[in-house]
DNA sequence: CTGAAAGCGCTTACAG
DNA sequence: CTGAAAGCGCTTACAG
């Protein structure tokens, strides 16, 4: 394995000078730079980043933690965030975590090793933030979960109002004449994160406001945020309640499963049952029928996240907790209820 | 920041002994182990992995390189591979690369730093392997692209026969009476990887065998392997040729776009145009209509990859280059051509 | 079983 | 502008 010592020997310069060339340090003669660069090129030398990071105190690239590896919404968002950082001349480093992993502990570890100049969390569990975020000093942004209630001076957050979004989704079904509305997805267990709790409570609130009956036993089925799980949950829901004419799926992936489950039961969407999803992933535009959904504004979420983080990295700004607007997307999966 | 020195000081033992406890070295007294473990716990100490890896010569976890971040097929495959390693008591570490990145150079870098005991490449460009794979000595497996033609003694490969799979796909359309068959997806540029070239040539071969006319100008449209790109390509194809009754989409994502494009033109699937995809991703089972496809055997691909790699890590075995069978999945997107 | 010491491959004051 | 040297936080023979 070639190391910096080999390059030093080969070039006739010292290890220190080679290191300076490697790090684009200004105090190097053009000649030395040229000779050393050539040798590095010839040897195809890559400095060992373990050694580098062990010594280096300067900050490294912004790190993005993505919670959940097959979350299409986060994927879309990540792509946009990456693009926006790039427009600002910043490369980022991405870490994918399991749905159940502790993102804050992982970040603490990475901070020690890599000293990122900033961190973005795509999704997160507030419990972990409460427990140990205090150990992180770099500027951070939490996306899709609000950190407004937390006392940290280095943690901004950008979210969609899930309560309001969910109530708009259900309200849409109600305005189309639906009275028997089922909810599919997420879980009633508050340990599983805020998102599903907020969407369910937003939905419930608007049902109550319209004096429509709703019970967890008859009108709700939990599921993970996947097609397969949404499919099974919808089957169970239709099994136990055949009066439902409108379904609110807590995520678009769940809605995809719901569409198939409904049709496998010999019913049609939207003629027999209307469906609305949540998130606004690309797929909703290609599904047949196109799926009505609450589209989170991915562009804006990405733009504000990057802006805020870069400003706070460069200047001492205080954190913000912003709610990004969403849009109700009509789609083709909702019809007026048949009389 | 707490380091191993702090733990040594706090526990009254030396740094060496703390290190031995950290690495579950046998030669430590129960008392020392207990005291030190408690302090580590109390201080919530995490060893700096940069320092650790810098010194450590023992091999670290198997690393999986995934080429392309939004490739659903690779995601499904990765999940299965992860699961299979776990069943064998092996944790893995995953690196996601851009579609265009040089996976071999990245792997060389990681080998120096992490010394993985084995490597899996999900997708890859043979050109990069030819250029620099010789520098890698760890046992490796390349999945979905055959390395049979390469002279490396530490690189196995597991693939599906793309030529045969594609010809079966088109053959299926032909047997349903289709005579005007269009192909959507991939590119004719051989630089873009083997996969699309092999699928196209497999499709062409069977058309020729059946004496059916096919020209790139009238019957083919390239696209990236995404819904959006598949949608646009299909629109262009239907625009320039309105006699097509069957479409072979080079990937399922492209097929999803094709379905929507066909229906946006006022035509029905499969009544007016039949569609078959490739890969067998989960989504094909939930789409409406269910999409006929060539299902690569993900379970088998994962199983053989893991088995082979683990065997070669433990014992000196020679490499293999296996072709894993696929299945033609019927779906609902193909109908007999109307007379 | 334990400690003192060398060393992994780098970076970075310090001196010249 | 350059080199010699200290040191980052660990691991690992070596000696006892």
């Amino acid at each position: 394995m070639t190391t910096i010592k080999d390059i030093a020997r080969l070039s006739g310069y010292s290890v220190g000078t080679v290191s300076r060339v490697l790090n684009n340090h200004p105090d190097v003669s053009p000649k030395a730079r040229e000779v050393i660069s050539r040798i590095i090129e010839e040897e195809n030398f890559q400095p060992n980043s373990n050694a580098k990071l062990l010594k280096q105190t300067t900050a490294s690239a912004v790190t993005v933690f993505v919670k959940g590896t097959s979350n299409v919404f986060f994927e879309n968002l990540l792509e946009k965030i990456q693009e926006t950082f790039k427009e600002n001349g910043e490369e980022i480093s991405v870490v994918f975590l399991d749905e159940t992993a502790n993102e804050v502990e992982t970040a603490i570890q990475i901070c020690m090793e890599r000293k990122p100049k900033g961190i973005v969390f795509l999704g997160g569990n507030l419990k972990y933030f409460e427990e140990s975020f205090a150990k992180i000093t770099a500027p951070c942004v939490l996306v899709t979960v609000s950190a407004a209630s937390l006392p940290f001076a280095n943690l901004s957050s950008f979210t969609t109002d899930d309560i309001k979004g969910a109530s708009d989704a259900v309200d849409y079904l109600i305005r189309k004449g639906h009275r028997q509305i089922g909810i599919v997805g997420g879980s009633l267990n508050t340990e599983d994160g805020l998102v599903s709790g907020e969407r369910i409570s937003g939905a419930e609130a608007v049902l109550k406001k319209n004096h429509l009956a709703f019970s967890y036993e008859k009108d709700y089925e939990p599921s993970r945020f996947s097609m397969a799980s949404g499919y099974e949950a919808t089957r169970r829901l239709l099994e136990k309640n055949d009066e439902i004419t409108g379904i609110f799926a807590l995520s678009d992936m769940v809605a995809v499963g719901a569409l198939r489950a409904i049709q496998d039961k010999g019913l049609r969407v939207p003629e027999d049952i209307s469906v609305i999803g949540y998130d606004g992933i690309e797929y909703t535009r290609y599904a047949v029928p196109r799926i009505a959904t609450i589209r989170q504004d991915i562009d804006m979420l990405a733009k504000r996240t990057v802006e805020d983080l870069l400003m706070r990295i460069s200047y001492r700004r205080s954190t913000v907790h912003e709610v990004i607007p969403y849009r109700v997307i009509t789609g083709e999966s909702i019809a007026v209820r048949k009389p």
Side-chain angles (χ1 to χ4, degrees), chain A:
Chain A
M1 201 181 71
T2 59
T3 71
I4 198 173
K5 275 187 199 165
D6 301 315
I7 305 299
R9 187 168 37 73
L10 257 30
S11 66
Y13 285 88
S14 75
V15 165
T17 303
V18 174
S19 173
R20 285 179 202 108
V21 170
L22 245 18
N23 294 288
N24 287 313
H25 206 87
D27 294 340
V28 181
S29 68
K31 169 131 177 283
R33 191 179 298 282
E34 196 237 296
V35 172
I36 293 171
S37 299
R38 187 166 46 74
I39 307 267
I40 289 173
E41 182 74 20
E42 276 172 25
E43 296 293 309
N44 203 342
F45 170 67
Q46 294 278 38
N48 181 314
S49 76
N50 288 131
K52 193 174 171 129
L53 290 162
L54 183 54
K55 273 266 47 177
Q56 203 156 254
T57 58
T58 62
S60 66
V62 169
T63 300
V64 180
F65 291 89
V66 183
K67 209 166 173 188
T69 49
S70 49
N71 181 325
V72 178
F73 175 66
F74 282 167
E75 251 168 49
N76 292 179
L77 187 52
L78 174 63
E79 211 164 306
K80 201 74 201 173
I81 286 177
Q82 190 150 252
E83 192 184 313
T84 313
F85 269 116
K86 198 168 255 172
E87 284 166 15
N88 286 275
E90 293 279 343
E91 291 297 325
I92 61 170
S93 134
V94 182
V95 178
F96 289 85
L97 298 169
D98 193 82
E99 200 97 42
T100 59
N102 185 325
E103 64 279 0
V104 182
E105 286 298 338
T106 311
I108 291 170
Q109 181 71 13
I110 299 259
C111 281
M112 280 174 42
E113 293 164 11
R114 256 135 240 222
K115 305 171 188 78
K117 61 175 116 168
I119 295 176
V120 176
F121 293 95
L122 258 42
N125 190 324
L126 285 185
K127 203 176 61 183
Y128 298 142
F129 281 80
E130 278 167 19
E131 278 168 19
S132 42
F133 184 80
K135 287 190 193 159
I136 295 180
T137 54
C140 296
V141 176
L142 175 56
V143 189
T144 71
V145 178
S146 176
S149 64
L150 268 34
F152 304 117
N154 58 330
L155 181 62
S156 285
S157 61
F158 295 94
T159 50
T160 298
D161 185 340
D162 276 325
I163 297 183
K164 195 151 159 299
S167 62
D168 276 6
V170 172
D171 192 55
Y172 187 11
L173 290 170
I174 294 173
R175 279 185 291 118
K176 291 292 183 179
H178 296 278
R179 294 291 170 266
Q180 304 279 349
I181 293 173
I183 301 179
V184 183
S187 117
L188 299 174
N189 184 342
T190 53
E191 287 289 296
D192 293 348
L194 283 174
V195 168
S196 89
E198 298 206 325
R199 291 185 190 168
I200 293 171
S201 69
E204 269 192 86
V206 73
L207 287 168
K208 183 167 289 175
K209 206 176 106 191
N210 285 273
H211 311 294
L212 296 175
F214 176 82
S215 79
Y216 292 130
E217 293 72 41
K218 288 199 63 208
D219 308 309
Y220 175 72
E221 274 293 330
S223 86
R224 289 184 302 109
F225 286 170
S226 72
M227 289 184 277
S229 189
Y231 178 86
E232 292 303 335
T234 304
R235 262 167 50 111
R236 288 195 303 271
L237 181 66
L238 298 179
E239 205 75 14
K240 70 185 183 186
N241 185 341
D242 61 7
E243 302 194 321
I244 286 172
T245 65
I247 289 181
F248 170 43
L250 254 59
S251 88
D252 289 334
M253 288 309 252
V254 172
V256 170
L259 246 57
R260 186 75 247 180
I262 292 165
Q263 298 183 62
D264 281 355
K265 221 178 145 47
L267 301 170
R268 293 159 305 165
V269 179
E271 293 82 354
D272 299 314
I273 298 186
S274 293
V275 175
I276 185 163
Y278 203 108
D279 283 340
I281 62 175
E282 194 186 14
Y283 182 71
T284 56
R285 291 193 285 252
Y286 292 94
V288 180
R290 287 189 178 83
I291 301 172
T293 188
I294 304 298
R295 172 121 73 221
Q296 305 198 55
D297 190 340
I298 287 186
D299 289 10
M300 184 63 82
L301 236 26
K303 180 165 172 287
R304 293 291 300 127
T305 293
V306 174
E307 274 176 7
D308 176 72
L309 193 64
L310 291 180
M311 287 307 278
R312 284 166 49 226
I313 287 171
S314 303
Y315 313 99
R316 267 221 149 330
R317 290 286 183 99
S318 53
T319 57
V320 297
H321 300 283
E322 279 181 23
V323 175
I324 304 294
Y326 55 84
R327 280 178 54 203
V328 181
I329 303 294
T330 314
E332 307 163 337
S333 62
I334 296 190
V336 173
R337 186 184 64 130
K338 286 177 299 189

